[in-house]
């Protein structure tokens, strides 16, 4: 990497973002050190465009092919990710392969078989308000010769919400946008996961706000797999029902993408290279260009001279944008993704396949003598390739996890020493289940849990106008551990 001294203003942006701490400022000018692996991070952040990369080989360096960055790592140094080091001209992983035995002290113990499942569930248990009374049902039985206790209740939780996962590549709104239900804000569009949009609904601050009653009802309804209509601020109107396909702006979305544009090329480059000279996979996250992409190079794709209008991340991988066009981008007319065709590289008659990551839309273009593009009928072999892509996609659906905090007063109905219950849950001595379904308990303090609502009986969730949602809770542990935390021994009843 080289510095154009005249352009460098000494802002230090490259220093902050260099993954190898290879850049420093000397008299307000950037200086590149020997650790530089030509990763290009500094190029992306320099506001003055004061850096450039030389194409000339770096003496003694080995090109890393573990990711699209392709660092050129010098002897004795690592690449940008710190994973690989050049030792004597060979790249070696900086951490040796670990066995499970070497890490199991970090992963923690597994559940004892006797307490994996509750003796009874909290569904239909009722509650014993105020919580200082013993929980409504505390039962004991032997499991595999071990005395086991399950304590159940149906607890109102004001610290509760739901994370809604909507499988779609359709742009539904701007990240962070408020989500409305019956004109009340009930959450926000939080982020995108792989091929899905995530809504965060509920939480104590919204539950205690003006729309708290509607929100408590909404969370309960969604958890019970009822249909709900939501509106994204300056975005889409959606209908969601857990276990069903989402309806976005009145249209059912039936399939989710197979991956981003780059991943799609990684999966299908071999097939695509047989049916077209160039392939563009349009996607709002990463749009792929086969002739530059590492998978395209691997299968023998030739340079095409095609330049895309999107900003390049790494060769063959371009950051998309968001809109109502192909692949969730702003591209309405597919040929518009092509900024230019360099006829010094391209060939007249060259075929360019443009497709979405779902294969729902695809078109074939033919390059003219002057670099002009003409749509042509899709050849049968290309149609089969796109059909193979479409067949690999999964069905779109809506799913949800209910999130609750049960580390409050409800613990008093379980034991006299609530802190011991909390510690037992984190130490995997007391198993928390919701309606019999396993939970994931977040690390740290409290008992904050998540549960897949599709593993809980429909109708098990309710709400009260405090407002709060109500969910069935079970704690299962050995009798010995239960008594040690001050369990309500006098309330124990035999089960089975």
């Amino acid at each position: 990497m080289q510095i154009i001294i005249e352009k460098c203003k000494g802002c230090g942006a490259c220093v902050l973002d260099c993954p190898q701490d290879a850049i420093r400022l000397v008299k307000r000018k950037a200086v590149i050190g020997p650790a530089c692996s030509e990763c290009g991070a500094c190029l992306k952040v320099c506001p003055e465009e004061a850096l450039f990369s030389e194409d000339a080989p770096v003496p003694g360096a080995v090109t890393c092919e573990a990711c699209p960055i392709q660092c050129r790592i010098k002897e004795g140094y690592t690449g940008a990710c710190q994973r690989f080091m050049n030792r004597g001209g060979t790249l070696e992983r900086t951490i040796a392969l670990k066995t499970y035995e070497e890490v199991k002290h970090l992963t923690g113990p597994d559940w004892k078989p006797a307490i994996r499942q509750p003796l009874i569930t909290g569904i239909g248990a009722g509650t014993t308000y105020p919580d200082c009374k013993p929980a409504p049902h505390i039962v004991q039985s032997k499991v595999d010769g071990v005395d086991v206790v399950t304590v159940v209740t149906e607890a109102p939780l004001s610290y509760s919400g739901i994370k809604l996962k909507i499988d779609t590549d359709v742009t539904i709104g701007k990240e962070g946008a408020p989500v409305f239900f019956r004109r009340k804000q009930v959450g926000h569009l939080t982020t995108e996961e792989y091929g899905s949009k995530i809504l965060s609904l509920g939480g104590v601050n919204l539950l205690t706000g003006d729309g708290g009653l509607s929100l408590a009802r909404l969370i309960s309804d969604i958890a019970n797999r009822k249909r709900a209509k939501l509106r994204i601020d300056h975005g889409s109107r959606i209908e969601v029902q857990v276990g069903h396909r989402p309806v976005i702006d009145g249209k059912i979305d039936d399939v989710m993408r197979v991956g981003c544009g780059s991943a799609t090329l990684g999966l299908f480059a071999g097939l695509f290279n047989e049916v077209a000279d160039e392939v563009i996979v349009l996607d709002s996250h990463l749009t792929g260009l086969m002739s530059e992409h590492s998978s395209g190079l691997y299968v023998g794709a030739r340079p095409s001279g095609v330049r895309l209008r999107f900003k390049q991340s790494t060769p063959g991988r371009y950051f998309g944008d968001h809109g109502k066009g192909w692949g969730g981008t702003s591209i309405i007319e597919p040929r518009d993704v092509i900024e230019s065709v360099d006829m010094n590289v391209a060939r007249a008659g060259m075929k360019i396949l443009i497709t979405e990551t779902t294969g729902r839309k695809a078109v074939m273009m033919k390059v003219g003598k002057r670099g002009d593009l003409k749509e042509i009928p899709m050849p049968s072999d290309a149609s089969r390739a796109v059909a193979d892509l479409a067949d690999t996609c999964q069905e779109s659906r809506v799913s949800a996890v209910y999130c609750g905090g049960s580390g409050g007063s409800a613990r008093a109905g379980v034991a006299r020493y609530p802190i011991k219950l909390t510690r037992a849950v984190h130490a995997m001595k007391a198993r928390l289940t919701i309606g019999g379904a396993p939970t994931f308990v977040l690390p740290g303090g409290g008992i904050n849990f998540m549960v897949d609502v599709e593993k809980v009986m429909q109708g098990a969730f309710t709400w009260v106008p405090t407002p709060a949602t109500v969910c069935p809770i079970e704690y299962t542990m050995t009798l010995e551990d239960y008594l040690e935390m001050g369990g309500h021994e006098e309330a124990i009843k035999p089960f089975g």
Side-chain angles (χ1 to χ4, degrees), residues 25-26 30 99 108 120 128 177-178 200 233 236 256 276 309 339 343 350 389 403:
L25 290 180
V26 177
T99 65
I120 57 175
T128 46
S200 175
D233 192 33
S236 296
M256 63 185 298
R309 55 171 285 187
E339 185 175 81
M343 292 308 292
M350 194 174 73
L389 163 60
C403 308

Side-chain angles (χ1 to χ4, degrees), residues 236-287:
S236 296
R237 292 180 182 272
I238 59 177
E239 293 183 40
V240 293
Q241 184 174 13
V242 170
H244 294 261
R245 297 174 183 177
V247 180
I248 301 172
D249 296 323
K251 296 180 180 178
I252 296 175
D253 199 355
D254 51 359
V255 294
M256 63 185 298
R257 65 180 187 169
V258 71
C260 67
S262 175
T264 303
L265 286 175
L267 290 168
F268 293 98
L271 189 59
F272 287 160
N273 193 43
E274 295 176 359
V275 302
D277 301 292
E278 180 62 282
V279 177
I280 301 167
V281 185
L282 270 166
D283 179 66
S284 60
H285 173 211
L286 284 171
T287 287

Side-chain angles (χ1 to χ4, degrees), residues 162-167 221-228 239-247 252-254 394-401 452-456 458:
I162 206 159
K163 297 291 185 292
L164 206 57
K165 176 173 174 284
I166 303 169
D167 300 332
D221 283 351
I222 291 176
N224 287 325
R225 278 100 89 187
K226 293 182 180 179
R227 183 168 291 272
E239 293 183 40
V240 293
Q241 184 174 13
V242 170
H244 294 261
R245 297 174 183 177
V247 180
I252 296 175
D253 199 355
D254 51 359
Q394 289 181 276
E395 178 183 300
S396 287
R397 69 196 306 276
V398 176
S399 50
V401 290
D452 180 352
V453 301
E454 291 181 81
K455 294 183 178 180
V456 182
Q458 278 184 279

